[in-house]
Amino acid sequence: MPLITSVSRLASTSRRNILATTLLYTASLTVRSTSAVGRDAKSTALSIGKNDGAAFVTTSDGVQIFYKDWGPKSAQPIVFHHGWPLSADDWDAQMLFFLGKGFRVIAHDRRGHGRSGQVSDGHDMDHYAADVAALAQHLDLRNAIHVGHSTGGGEATRYVARHGRERVAKLVLIGAVPPLMLKTESNPGGLPLDAFDGLRRRLATNRSQFYFEFASGPFYGYNRPGAEPSQAVIWNWWRQAMTGSSKAHHDGIKAFSETDFSEDLKSIAVPTLVLHGGDDQIVPVADSAPLSARLLKHSTLKIYDLLPHGLCTTHPDLVNADLLRFVTA
């Protein structure tokens, strides 16, 4: 059973209420995505190389995955999984912190994102997880702690459930998309398909403007009364997003919104920390974190009152302290 640290707002928070705010940035939308489905989700690492000082692993379907690998190779590894549509750079505050604590820290750019290959296919959770497995195999990561934010939480969940049982010590999900974002008969609290169609249309119509508005508003809670937006944070989000492939980002919306992780969560036996912002407007808390915590065998749930989706950036000291307590326990 999960240990729950909750806040008073949880009971009154619902995806449907929060949707109204987020749709200010995604309204008037009708175009739907056709997601590219890869033919083979077995992404076994074939090679590793250097390109202008950067490290890459090449998967069996020919995709170059960029990654950072800092710290002593003998230290316990922490692997960070970034959210949509960002890159490994979104973990700077966490990687530097844990590097200073003596850990080996690793983060990759998901296929089609950041500096990884901008391929046409394979933008689905099975390929995402298999790509992580290829990286973990090539670096021979053992006793690893995997930390996933948002879409990266889904990727980490599927990786641990399907590939990482002999390599993983602990799991952390932060503002993560599991169990399922889409509203269905079995998930009535989810978001309607129109909301995700809206994201796709904004992306296809003017990706640059859409990303700027997304970072300026609901992602960091900068649209809330009294918020003090950081232009540096907004432009760094925009920079990361615009580096990636519009095709990968377009298809990735289906991956993070329509993938059901319920069975993955049920199969995970390692200790798992579930963190979420109580004012998350992107992955609203009521239909995500508490449900995931219930499905996991060994979970600790903590909800931060009033914090936004991008809490790892807006409140790194708070998040890092909780992560450190968990990974060293």
Side-chain angles (χ1 to χ4, degrees):
M1 294 296 291
L3 170 64
I4 301 178
T5 304
S6 62
V7 295
S8 58
R9 296 193 59 184
L10 176 58
S12 60
T13 304
S14 71
R15 283 195 157 177
R16 192 163 297 176
N17 291 338
I18 295 176
L19 173 63
T21 301
T22 305
L23 286 182
L24 290 175
Y25 298 86
T26 60
S28 303
L29 313 158
T30 57
V31 177
R32 297 189 178 183
S33 165
T34 55
S35 176
V37 178
R39 295 183 180 87
D40 182 5
K42 296 180 180 179
S43 296
T44 302
L46 293 182
S47 64
I48 186 170
K50 299 285 184 178
N51 184 350
D52 297 330
F56 293 83
V57 58
T58 302
T59 66
S60 61
D61 59 345
V63 183
Q64 281 201 315
I65 302 296
F66 169 88
Y67 69 93
K68 307 175 186 182
D69 181 5
W70 303 341
K73 300 301 182 284
S74 59
Q76 185 174 21
I78 303 179
V79 183
F80 295 93
H81 306 247
H82 67 79
W84 176 95
L86 303 175
S87 73
D89 294 353
D90 201 43
W91 289 109
D92 284 352
Q94 285 68 47
M95 291 187 71
L96 289 172
F97 175 83
F98 282 99
L99 181 65
K101 297 297 181 181
F103 289 88
R104 179 184 182 182
V105 293
I106 298 157
H108 68 289
D109 291 354
R110 189 171 299 118
R111 64 167 59 203
H113 294 63
R115 291 140 293 200
S116 290
Q118 295 198 8
V119 294
S120 177
D121 296 333
H123 306 298
D124 55 77
M125 284 294 166
D126 288 349
H127 279 86
Y128 295 165
D131 292 348
V132 176
L135 177 61
Q137 176 185 336
H138 209 86
L139 297 179
D140 194 25
L141 301 180
R142 304 282 178 177
N143 196 35
I145 299 160
H146 285 259
V147 182
H149 174 247
S150 194
T151 298
E155 173 185 274
T157 296
R158 180 138 297 180
Y159 164 74
V160 173
R162 298 193 179 183
H163 303 279
R165 295 187 182 184
E166 297 180 356
R167 295 180 178 271
V168 177
K170 294 180 180 180
L171 173 65
V172 181
L173 304 177
I174 307 176
V177 297
L180 172 63
M181 288 196 73
L182 184 68
K183 180 179 180 179
T184 64
E185 289 185 5
S186 60
N187 186 44
L191 295 171
L193 184 61
D194 286 350
F196 303 110
D197 286 344
L199 297 177
R200 284 184 275 261
R201 179 173 180 188
R202 289 294 305 275
L203 189 158
T205 301
N206 188 336
R207 182 167 68 127
S208 179
Q209 184 66 31
F210 167 45
Y211 287 169
F212 176 75
E213 292 176 357
F214 205 67
S216 300
F219 194 92
Y220 294 113
Y222 289 155
N223 56 334
R224 293 309 198 199
E228 298 181 3
S230 166
Q231 292 303 310
V233 166
I234 292 168
W235 284 116
N236 187 45
W237 197 101
W238 182 91
R239 172 192 66 84
Q240 292 178 66
M242 290 301 294
T243 302
S245 158
S246 59
K247 176 65 162 58
H249 296 170
H250 193 274
D251 293 354
I253 294 171
K254 181 180 179 67
F256 75 66
S257 64
E258 298 185 30
T259 303
D260 189 340
F261 299 95
S262 297
E263 296 305 314
D264 299 292
L265 293 165
K266 291 176 185 178
S267 72
I268 293 174
V270 298
T272 303
L273 177 63
V274 182
L275 302 178
H276 217 98
D279 191 34
D280 190 324
Q281 301 172 67
I282 309 303
V283 183
V285 64
D287 199 51
S288 53
L291 304 185
S292 290
R294 292 191 198 108
L295 292 172
L296 288 158
K297 290 181 173 66
H298 303 288
S299 67
T300 300
L301 171 64
K302 183 167 185 177
I303 297 168
Y304 301 98
D305 194 17
L306 302 179
L307 294 199
H309 187 62
L311 70 170
C312 294
T313 296
T314 60
H315 295 79
D317 291 345
L318 184 62
V319 173
N320 289 351
D322 285 334
L323 290 178
L324 182 62
R325 277 190 287 271
F326 178 71
V327 301
T328 56

